[in-house]
């Protein structure tokens, strides 16, 4: 924080401040949308690899197998329900939270219907695609979090549960994601080698995204 100066300082006129604030906010919105698009593209790569999904994607796929909706729509439905649960804990969604809920699912469905699958390719190529998808997710995470317009629904719920239970973030996140994975598997979601790769690779990928976009992690 800049210390106050002594003496009388004339406040800036609205004409000099309002455009700067408007362009700054517009730039952050663009950053948010591009980050969410990249995030969705990374998820699609994991789907197309066909060797197993991360916890939430496994849950979304399993849910879509039992309801007349796509995996992207299942992601949107899950995000909406999580936002409602988070509200019960006193967490109010931001612009980024709502965009996360809607846009990732929309982008996913659009990309998933257009990009080819590597399900019949040799295993090394499928593993490479899985790792590429995780790297893209890390890139997208760093970009949309750098926009600073609100956490995603699942992160909001994790933080809310952490505050109300007093447990460590790692413990709460682990329990929530294991629950999502278990339910997704029971519903018919894809679990396999990629599911094992995901928890080991996603941390370094997100950390790389944070470094790339100079996001300061808050402890």
């Amino acid at each position: 924080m800049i210390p106050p100066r002594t003496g009388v300082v004339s406040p800036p006129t609205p004409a000099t401040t309002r455009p700067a604030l408007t362009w700054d906010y517009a730039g952050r919105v663009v950053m948010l949308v591009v980050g969410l698009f990249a995030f969705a593209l990374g998820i699609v790569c994991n789907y197309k690899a066909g060797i197993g999904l991360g916890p939430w994607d496994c849950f979304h796929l399993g849910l879509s197998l039992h309801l007349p909706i796509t995996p992207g729509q299942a992601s949107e439905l899950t995000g909406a329900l999580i936002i409602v649960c988070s509200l019960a804990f006193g967490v109010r969604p931001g612009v980024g939270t709502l965009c996360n809920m809607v846009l990732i699912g929309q982008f996913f469905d659009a990309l998933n219907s257009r990009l080819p699958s590597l399900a019949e390719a040799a295993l090394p190529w499928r593993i490479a695609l899985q790792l590429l998808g995780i790297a893209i997710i890390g890139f997208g995470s760093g970009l949309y979090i750098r926009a600073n317009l609100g956490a995603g629904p699942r992160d909001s719920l994790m933080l809310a549960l952490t505050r109300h239970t007093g447990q460590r973030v790692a413990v709460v996140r682990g329990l929530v994601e294991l629950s999502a994975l278990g339910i997704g598997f029971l519903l018919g979601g894809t679990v396999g080698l990629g599911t094992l790769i995901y928890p080991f690779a996603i941390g370094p990928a997100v950390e790389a995204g944070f470094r790339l976009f100079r996001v300061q992690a808050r402890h």
Side-chain angles (χ1 to χ4, degrees):
M1 180 178 294
I2 300 175
R5 298 178 182 177
T6 58
V8 178
V9 179
S10 299
T13 61
T16 60
T17 58
R18 197 169 298 161
L21 290 174
T22 301
W23 281 110
D24 175 70
Y25 188 80
R28 290 162 60 197
V29 170
V30 171
M31 190 181 300
L32 170 70
V33 173
V34 174
L36 295 177
F37 179 86
F39 197 102
L41 176 60
I43 296 173
V44 171
C45 289
N46 288 172
Y47 267 76
K48 298 303 184 181
I51 57 173
L53 300 171
W56 283 110
D57 299 320
C58 176
F59 176 78
H60 300 151
L61 176 59
L63 193 62
S64 72
L65 297 176
H66 295 269
L67 295 174
I69 56 178
T70 65
Q73 292 168 341
S75 172
E76 294 174 54
L77 176 61
T78 303
L81 293 174
I82 290 176
I83 287 176
V84 172
C85 293
S86 298
L87 283 171
F89 287 105
V91 178
R92 298 170 62 181
V95 173
T97 311
L98 298 175
C99 288
N100 185 301
M101 177 193 75
V102 175
L103 293 183
I104 288 180
Q106 293 292 317
F107 287 147
F108 172 86
D109 283 341
L111 292 167
N112 192 44
S113 63
R114 290 171 171 80
L115 297 179
S117 172
L118 287 187
E120 302 301 322
L123 183 59
W125 287 109
R126 296 164 71 187
I127 292 176
L129 182 60
Q130 181 88 15
L131 293 173
L132 175 63
I134 294 172
I136 296 174
I137 289 174
F139 174 89
S141 297
L143 189 56
Y144 95 75
I145 292 174
R146 183 70 175 84
N148 195 28
L149 291 174
R154 292 151 190 81
D155 290 332
S156 297
L157 177 63
M158 177 193 66
L159 294 173
L161 291 174
T162 299
R163 286 199 299 266
H164 281 76
T165 62
Q167 295 293 328
R168 294 172 51 207
V169 171
V171 173
V172 173
R173 179 164 190 156
L175 290 175
V176 169
E177 295 206 351
L178 283 174
S179 299
L181 178 62
I183 297 172
F185 175 72
L186 292 175
L187 291 175
T190 306
V191 174
L193 177 61
T195 311
L196 297 177
I197 293 174
Y198 189 90
F200 291 100
I202 190 62
V206 172
E207 183 178 357
F210 277 25
R211 288 180 178 176
L212 178 63
F213 296 107
R214 300 178 182 178
V215 176
Q216 296 296 323
R218 298 178 181 178
H219 301 282

